[in-house]
């Protein structure tokens, strides 16, 4: 069972949350001029990353608020969670944090 | 290759089973193949088999990073059916069903295909409308389907509890549906392909592509560069990873899907039972174990294990429907990584890279289409153009909007 750190409520059980796919996909602004290819890419195509994944969650059975998370999709380990609107954490730094964590030299939050 | 027969069984029995041939070779990769298939699951192996058998393309390699059938092919709940709502789906899944019906003979390998019948239960007015619409659509496509009332269901399944929390109101039965032995499907195709000269290379991961001027020329593997005229990528949950190596993105999300089996008991259910409404599906293996399919997790993961709460979610409805099962112990539980599309239909397609073809997106329910998928994909690769039954399943549909939206019809996970 995963433990997830809600940025508002703290650490809670996974069953209180639901996942909602990749984060930081901005809706195109020039919608009137988009062609089918651009629309399709925005709506359907995803990075589906093996490794670091930036994603959206909601704390359904808690504060009911949305937040973002970065998780390692190989181990399911949460590296960080943050509020919507906050900038996406740097991938390089998180990768470092992940390799430190697997070699046992650092504590990873939200796990 | 010596065929398997009653005679060979007797002969090898007399010689204490010491003289059985190996079912396939384990060759070192050659420098170049006409076609390289990435992924030694059922779909990849079937593709190689039909390339050699029907398309005259025999200089073929199947490259598998682990062992044959170690992906979703060896992890599924083995349900086979062709009762889908839409015409395109009926086309491809029924094509597979017809191949299943002669597969053991064709391969000279017992895939234990058992048309024991597959029953979808309905628990609400909405469920009744759904099976009504789908059952009639299936019928119009010339595929068998029957409606059952609760009394008929009770007759088929004496141990069912019709008056469970969401009472059973009716059912949709496909008598030609059933199960097959998943490992045997991979092994049978591998043996048949090997016999026609296909090289099956296990423990060899594809780590990149050799792409020149937008055209694939080979694959980089843990055993070195292997040249290829054409490449077919059939890696299920890892399709986005391979696509990224080739420089494009896929309309896929990879999520864990779980299953569990019980201790073996004497025969208690002789058909496959599925319920979309309360979400459970169960059948009994020939060994006597109950094979139970759980739901998929909503988050992307490559961890090959699902979350615990999914197990609880499937065991709850299972014991509601069949109170008898509450006494059984579950012996094993596992997960596979399934590649899910938004419209819940597969992708058989060309890609932005010339001569690189992809077969994926089978998600939670591609075992049933293993023969059909391999057959159509082989013909498409050989021709260089997608077969007409495969053409609607192109990646382009996510840009043109011509989705094949089976989500509503097959919301249950298999
Ligand atoms: C729990 C569960 C239950 C299911 N139940 C059913 C069911 O009842 N009925 C049904 O029809 N379907 C079911 N499915 C779905 C079905 O299992 C799949 O759709 C089907 O088996 C996919 O077959 P495949 O050959 O495409 O993929 P796989 O069998 O997964 O084969 C892909 C292969 O590619 C290999 N690979 C990956 N990356 C690389 C690389 N870089 N280099 C080389 N090789 C690589 C993998 O090791 C793997 O062996 C279920 C799935 C699961 C997980
Ligand atoms: Zn919260």
């Amino acid at each position: 069972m995963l433990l997830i750190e809600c940025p508002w409520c703290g650490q809670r059980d996974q069953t209180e949350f639901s996942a909602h796919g990749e984060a930081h996909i901005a809706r195109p602004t020039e919608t009137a001029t988009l062609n089918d290819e651009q629309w399709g890419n925005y709506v359907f195509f995803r990075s589906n990353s093996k490794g670091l994944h930036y994603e959206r969650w909601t704390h359904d059975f808690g504060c009911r608020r949305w937040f973002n998370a970065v998780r390692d999709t190989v181990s399911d380990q949460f590296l960080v969670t943050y509020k919507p609107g906050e900038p996406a954490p740097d991938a390089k730094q998180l990768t470092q944090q992940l390799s430190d964590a697997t070699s046992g030299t650092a504590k990873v939050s939200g796990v | 290759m010596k065929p398997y027969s009653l005679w060979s069984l007797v002969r090898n029995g007399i010689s204490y089973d010491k003289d059985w041939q190996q079912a396939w070779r384990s060759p070192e990769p050659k420098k170049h193949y006409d076609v390289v298939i990435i992924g030694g699951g059922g779909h990849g192996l079937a593709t190689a088999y039909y390339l050699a058998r029907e398309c005259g393309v025999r200089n073929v390699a199947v490259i598998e990073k682990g062992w044959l059938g170690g992906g979703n092919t060896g992890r599924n709940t083995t349900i086979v059916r062709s009762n889908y709502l839409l015409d395109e789906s009926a086309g491809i899944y029924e094509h597979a069903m017809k191949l299943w019906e002669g597969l053991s003979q064709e391969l000279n390998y017992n895939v234990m295909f058992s048309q024991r019948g597959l029953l979808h239960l309905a628990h609400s007015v909405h469920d009744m409308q759904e099976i009504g619409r789908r059952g009639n659509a299936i019928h119009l496509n010339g595929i068998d389907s029957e409606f059952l009332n609760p009394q008929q269901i009770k007759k088929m399944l004496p141990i069912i509890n019709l008056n469970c929390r969401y009472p059973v109101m009716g059912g949709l039965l496909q008598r030609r549906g059933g199960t097959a032995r998943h490992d045997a499907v991979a092994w049978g195709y591998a043996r048949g392909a090997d016999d026609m000269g296909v090289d099956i290379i296990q423990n060899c991961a594809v780590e990149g592509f050799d792409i020149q001027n937008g055209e694939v020329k080979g694959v980089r593997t843990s055993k070195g560069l292997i040249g290829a005229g054409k490449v077919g990528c059939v890696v299920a949950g890892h399709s986005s990873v391979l696509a990224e190596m080739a420089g494009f993105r896929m309309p896929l999300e990879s999520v864990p899907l779980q299953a569990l089996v019980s201790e073996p008991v004497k025969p208690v259910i002789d058909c496959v039972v599925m319920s979309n409404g309360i979400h459970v599906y169960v059948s009994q293996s020939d060994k006597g174990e109950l094979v139970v399919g759980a739901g998929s997790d909503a988050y992307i993961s490559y961890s090959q294990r699902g979350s615990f709460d999914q197990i609880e979610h499937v065991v709850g409805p299972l014991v509601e429907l069949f109170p008898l099962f509450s006494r059984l112990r579950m012996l094993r539980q596992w997960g596979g990584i399934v590649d899910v599309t938004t419209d819940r239909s597969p992708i058989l397609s060309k890609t932005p890279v010339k001569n690189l073809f992809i077969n994926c997106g089978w998600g939670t329910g591609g075992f049933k289409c293993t023969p059909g998928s391999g057959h159509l994909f082989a013909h498409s690769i050989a021709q260089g153009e997608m077969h007409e039954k495969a053409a609607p399943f192109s990646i382009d549909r996510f840009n043109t909007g011509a989705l094949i939206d089976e989500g509503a019809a097959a919301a249950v996970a298999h």
Side-chain angles (χ1 to χ4, degrees):
Chain A
M1 190 78 72
L2 304 175
L3 289 176
I4 302 176
E5 180 101 12
C6 170
W8 285 281
C9 312
Q11 221 173 57
R12 297 292 182 90
D13 192 291
Q14 175 205 335
T15 52
E16 293 185 11
F17 297 85
S18 60
H20 297 271
E22 193 171 346
H24 303 293
I25 298 177
R27 189 173 198 275
T29 45
E30 308 294 314
T31 51
T33 58
L34 286 192
N35 60 27
D36 285 353
E37 179 155 3
Q38 292 164 318
W39 266 124
N41 292 348
Y42 159 66
V43 176
F44 297 116
F45 287 74
R46 294 289 177 265
S47 65
N48 197 21
S49 326
K50 183 174 184 178
L52 288 192
H53 190 247
Y54 291 71
E55 57 192 16
R56 303 180 306 158
W57 287 78
T58 52
H59 192 185
D60 301 308
F61 303 107
C63 63
R64 303 194 62 192
R65 282 194 270 194
W66 288 77
F67 62 93
N68 291 326
V70 187
R71 188 171 48 92
D72 172 26
T73 58
V74 178
S75 64
D76 286 339
Q77 194 166 51
F78 280 81
L79 296 174
V80 58
T81 56
Y82 52 102
K83 295 176 181 171
E86 287 179 7
D90 179 46
K92 263 207 199 96
Q93 208 182 318
L94 289 172
T95 314
Q96 185 58 44
Q97 192 183 332
L98 187 64
S99 66
D100 291 352
T102 38
S103 61
T105 53
K107 187 182 166 288
V108 176
S109 64
V111 186
Chain B
M1 178 181 74
K2 295 194 192 107
Y4 295 141
S5 63
L6 184 60
W7 167 235
S8 74
L9 206 61
V10 173
R11 186 164 36 79
N12 283 289
I14 291 168
S15 60
Y16 300 101
D17 291 313
K18 280 180 193 146
D19 300 328
W20 287 108
Q21 278 182 297
Q22 60 177 7
W24 55 83
R25 303 159 294 133
S26 295
E28 282 305 305
K30 291 192 241 167
K31 287 256 164 314
H32 189 275
Y33 291 93
D34 294 340
V35 177
V36 164
I37 301 296
I38 310 171
H43 289 235
L45 292 163
T47 306
Y49 174 84
Y50 290 113
L51 272 170
R53 172 94 190 177
E54 294 193 4
C55 310
V57 186
R58 295 191 169 193
N59 185 22
V60 176
V62 177
I63 299 181
E64 164 56 49
K65 90 174 161 192
W67 65 96
L68 297 188
N72 293 340
T73 296
R75 292 167 187 270
N76 65 74
T77 49
T78 77
I79 298 170
V80 175
R81 61 186 179 96
S82 62
N83 53 356
Y84 282 72
L85 174 72
L86 302 170
D87 296 353
E88 295 86 350
S89 317
I92 198 166
Y93 291 105
E94 180 63 12
H95 182 63
M97 182 64 92
K98 295 209 170 102
L99 290 169
W100 277 115
E101 287 171 338
L103 196 61
S104 291
Q105 286 75 15
E106 154 103 28
L107 295 177
N108 176 235
Y109 203 99
N110 187 1
V111 299
M112 295 169 72
F113 181 49
S114 154
Q115 291 178 298
R116 58 184 66 183
L118 177 140
L119 179 63
H120 278 264
L121 300 177
H123 305 262
S124 64
V125 173
H126 173 87
D127 281 356
M128 290 299 284
Q129 289 168 342
E130 192 276 320
I131 63 167
R133 176 178 180 226
R134 184 154 52 92
N136 284 310
I138 295 161
H139 186 67
L140 289 175
N141 275 317
I143 299 168
D144 67 308
S145 74
E146 288 165 48
F147 297 111
L148 298 190
N149 62 31
Q151 290 69 42
Q152 290 168 310
I153 293 172
K154 186 77 187 170
K155 219 173 148 209
M156 253 183 95
L157 287 167
I159 61 165
I160 198 170
N161 171 21
L162 292 175
N163 292 317
C164 54
R165 180 162 167 195
Y166 298 99
V168 177
M169 294 172 71
L172 183 68
L173 175 67
Q174 182 176 28
R175 289 196 194 271
R176 287 161 68 239
T179 57
R181 180 165 178 220
H182 47 19
D183 296 325
V185 174
W187 299 336
Y189 275 120
R191 174 170 167 270
D194 176 87
D195 185 44
M196 292 180 288
V198 172
D199 282 356
I200 294 166
I201 298 156
Q202 301 181 68
N203 297 312
C204 178
V206 170
E207 293 161 349
F209 291 91
D210 177 14
I211 296 170
Q212 295 167 24
N213 301 322
E215 188 176 340
V216 70
K217 298 286 181 194
V219 291
R220 281 190 276 114
T221 75
S222 49
K223 295 191 175 175
L225 183 73
I226 302 175
K230 292 173 182 171
V231 175
C233 182
V234 200
V235 295
H238 279 76
S239 297
S240 296
V241 178
L242 272 284
E244 196 186 339
M245 293 176 192
F248 57 93
R249 275 155 72 93
M250 294 298 294
L252 292 172
E253 289 186 321
S254 295
V255 298
L257 177 68
Q258 297 180 75
L260 43 154
V261 295
S262 73
E263 58 190 318
V265 286
K266 294 217 166 127
V268 277
I269 43 172
D270 60 1
C271 68
V272 182
V273 183
M274 304 184 15
S275 164
N276 294 16
I278 57 176
H279 204 293
V280 57
Y281 50 105
V282 58
S283 64
Q284 190 172 17
S285 75
D286 293 352
K287 269 192 287 183
E289 304 153 322
L290 295 178
V291 182
V292 184
S296 55
D297 285 304
Y299 53 84
I300 288 169
S301 178
Y302 291 84
S303 65
Q304 230 162 232
R305 58 170 183 264
S307 61
F308 289 125
D309 51 307
Q310 291 295 344
I311 301 171
E312 196 176 344
H313 283 308
V314 69
V315 170
L318 181 72
V319 297
E320 263 299 306
L321 269 184
F322 303 105
L324 188 77
F325 293 167
S326 65
R327 308 275 183 86
L328 287 179
R329 277 162 297 199
M330 291 296 164
L331 293 191
R332 280 176 288 129
Q333 165 275 340
W334 64 90
I337 300 303
V338 296
D339 45 332
V340 181
T341 56
T342 331
D343 63 1
R344 298 294 188 272
S345 287
I347 294 172
L348 289 99
S349 184
K350 295 184 181 181
T351 67
V353 178
K354 198 165 169 231
N355 288 335
L356 173 59
F357 298 79
I358 196 160
N359 181 344
C360 62
W362 290 98
T364 58
F367 174 69
K368 63 177 71 67
C369 207
T370 305
S373 156
H375 188 255
L376 298 176
F377 200 50
H379 280 275
S380 305
I381 292 175
Q383 292 300 314
E385 285 303 325
M386 298 315 290
H387 187 284
E388 61 170 354
K389 283 203 169 90
F393 297 95
S394 153
I395 309 182
D396 292 345
R397 73 177 188 269
F398 296 95
N399 291 110
T400 61
L403 300 183
I404 304 167
D405 195 358
E406 279 291 351
V412 82
H414 53 78

